[in-house]
Amino acid sequence: MANLFLGLDSSTQSLSAILIDLDAKKIVYEAARNYDEDLPHYGTDNGVIKNTNPQVVHASPLMWAEALDKLLTTMKTDGVALNQIKAISGSGQQHGSVYLNQKAPEVLSNLNANKSLVENLTNIFSRKTSPIWMDSSTRTECDEICETLGGLQATAEATGSTTFERFTGPQIRKFYKSDPDAYEKTAHIMLVSSFMASILSGTIAPIDHGDGAGMNLMNIQTRQWHPQALNATAPNLSDRLPALAEPWTIIGPISTYFVKKYGFAPNTQTLIWSGDNPNSVIGLGLIQEGMVAISLGTSDTYFGTMQTCQTDPRGEGHVFVSPTGDYMSLICFKNGSLAREAIAEQFGLNWDGFSQALQATPPGNNGKILLPYFEPEIVPNVLTPGVHRFDLDKNDAQGHCRAVVEAQMMSMRIHAEWMGVRPSAIYVTGGASVNTDILQIMADVQNCPVHQFEVTNSAALGAALRAAHGYLLASEPSTTWQDIIAEFAEPISGSEITPKNPTVYNDLVKKYAECEKAIIGK
Ligand code: XUL
């Protein structure tokens, strides 16, 4: 019998699954459901509900639940041996929050398999939509919480990050201030990760230390809720939050809903979920300090494992807990594929055309610079969207393609300086990581080799590997991460992209930093 473990990834634009066979050391099945295409009745655009205020970005938690029914239906139809899966874990887009009323525990523990998840869950919400990581509407609340905790550095030292608009604490505070009645009716606040785990397990699932660190509510040293941060956020918040737990916690057997409806074995174990970035640490095999990864997804993220907790004095980066129990550093750039797609669309290019433009333009782009803040940016902090050109003609299609990628790579180099180490090798993941022209610019700007992976969804793979690790650890305490990830989380051999033109960027990075200062200073 196969040794099967399932990883799910509830991301901004889709829900996907990766099934691994640990004995055969291979991925045996992959599938995804896209919210815009497969669930058009939620009216999303790239997975989110458009608001007239670009700073407000929400999505419907019912949509995430419906996607789970759809994806499992696909798996069942495809003949996947769901009854042989030993354990399931998952990955959620980080920071987004789900608000439930007091009916939730009862409903979750009695899901009716003759109804859909939407029909079962429709009355458990005290807030219909969930603010997600792209929301930047909480500047005031960030300032209030940060001041109460003693300023930027003190907040970062306490919770791993200074206050950020998308982090859950400031979002909860905004909800409490703007709709105190609904806050009063809220009995449980969950993250996207713990909400999905709650559905699967039929319980109020704990939040793992990795995703908990993205809330501005957890003490990054003790890994417990931080009482002062909770008080600075909203009254009686501790009553509304679940337990925090280790990233390898087994929650319990899967809800009978999934046994009856899809044929899972009753003793399939559900593991705690985590955020997409912590999961990617495992999916990319970053279990040693100094290994750096770049994920080119809806957002671009730059992250790596670290042994001791070292916070960013400039307040741009974050410290989370890695699934290994170590720490991880992370910087999130919101205008990732959002910006690359906006440029491609503006000039009517498909990805081949975009790549041809990168090939046709010289490294350094003859000094042409673009600041691509199509959406409010996280790093550097830009609240009002805007695209700024320096020595770049607005009709220069090829120049724009190179300029947007060079901007992203130079911004990563500048804003990762606080970590104190230039990467010696970069492991790259996410949809755009298949594009070797983009990766060549990455290798040149960072002046180090870049390694590609066969699996572009490292978050779902990481979740499947975490499921296997947590499940085996419970019966064999000697289980190591190396045993689990071997042969899965390894770069494609021979895929290394080496720097070809690094020197041109030494000057261009300086010019880019000046342009950034000129715009942000305004
Ligand atoms: C990380 C962040 C994003 C989301 C995207 O801090 O906000 O990477 O996790 O899913």
Side-chain angles (χ1 to χ4, degrees), residues 280-282 284-288 291-293 303-305 322 427 485:
S280 282
V281 163
I282 295 304
L284 295 170
L286 306 185
I287 56 174
Q288 269 155 31
M291 294 169 94
V292 166
F303 55 93
T305 306
S322 148
Y427 299 82
I485 66 170

Side-chain angles (χ1 to χ4, degrees), residues 248-521:
W248 45 84
T249 304
I250 292 181
I251 304 172
I254 194 165
S255 155
T256 53
Y257 175 90
F258 299 96
V259 176
K260 289 185 187 150
K261 196 164 205 152
Y262 299 107
F264 282 91
N267 63 351
T268 306
Q269 296 300 315
T270 58
L271 266 283
I272 199 166
W273 285 37
S274 189
D276 51 357
N277 294 294
N279 276 293
S280 282
V281 163
I282 295 304
L284 295 170
L286 306 185
I287 56 174
Q288 269 155 31
E289 188 166 53
M291 294 169 94
V292 166
I294 293 178
S295 164
L296 301 173
T298 306
S299 64
D300 288 344
T301 53
Y302 180 106
F303 55 93
T305 306
M306 53 185 191
Q307 234 84 64
T308 51
C309 178
Q310 187 199 329
T311 48
D312 173 13
R314 273 169 65 178
E316 289 179 341
H318 316 301
V319 177
F320 298 151
V321 174
S322 148
T324 58
D326 293 318
Y327 288 99
M328 62 177 281
S329 54
L330 178 132
I331 314 171
C332 180
F333 304 86
K334 193 194 279 179
N335 287 279
S337 72
L338 287 169
R340 292 184 288 275
E341 277 162 24
I343 292 289
E345 207 171 289
Q346 186 178 333
F347 292 103
L349 296 170
N350 58 20
W351 291 118
D352 282 345
F354 190 89
S355 279
Q356 278 159 21
L358 297 182
Q359 288 159 19
T361 45
N365 215 6
N366 295 322
K368 299 169 190 175
I369 294 226
L370 178 79
L371 301 188
Y373 309 137
F374 288 90
E375 296 274 340
E377 183 48 79
I378 296 168
V379 175
N381 190 233
V382 179
L383 285 181
T384 313
V387 174
H388 309 274
R389 298 176 186 84
F390 297 82
D391 303 319
L392 173 64
D393 187 284
K394 67 177 187 345
N395 298 315
D396 177 355
Q398 292 191 331
H400 273 76
C401 294
R402 178 165 281 276
V404 70
V405 178
E406 289 189 343
Q408 294 172 326
M409 301 308 154
M410 289 193 287
S411 181
M412 282 186 197
R413 179 165 148 182
I414 294 165
H415 295 284
E417 265 166 19
W418 67 274
M419 294 180 190
V421 248
R422 287 287 299 280
S424 51
I426 291 174
Y427 299 82
V428 69
T429 180
S433 67
V434 294
N435 185 321
T436 48
D437 296 300
I438 293 180
L439 301 191
Q440 186 62 57
I441 298 176
M442 182 185 284
D444 286 345
V445 173
Q446 297 284 358
N447 196 8
C448 76
V450 170
H451 300 270
Q452 276 177 306
F453 284 75
E454 209 158 305
V455 177
T456 51
N457 190 344
S458 55
L461 175 60
L465 295 168
R466 282 183 47 247
H469 170 262
Y471 180 86
L472 293 178
L473 194 68
S475 53
E476 284 169 45
S478 60
T479 306
T480 67
W481 276 109
Q482 200 51 51
D483 298 339
I484 303 290
I485 66 170
E487 291 177 53
F488 282 108
E490 283 169 8
I492 304 171
S493 72
S495 75
E496 184 174 292
I497 292 163
T498 49
K500 284 191 189 140
N501 294 287
T503 44
V504 68
Y505 292 104
N506 291 337
D507 287 338
L508 202 66
V509 163
K510 288 189 199 127
K511 178 170 173 183
Y512 186 86
E514 278 161 23
C515 296
E516 205 186 74
K517 218 168 171 186
I519 293 302
I520 296 166

Side-chain angles (χ1 to χ4, degrees), residues 144-168:
E144 289 166 353
I145 297 170
C146 184
E147 199 185 308
T148 312
L149 293 181
L152 182 152
Q153 212 161 335
T155 307
E157 279 166 18
T159 72
S161 307
T162 189
T163 44
F164 276 83
E165 289 89 343
R166 69 193 192 286
F167 274 43
T168 324

Side-chain angles (χ1 to χ4, degrees), residues 45 105 107 140 174 227 255 505:
D45 192 355
V107 171
T140 310
K174 182 181 162 200
S255 155
Y505 292 104

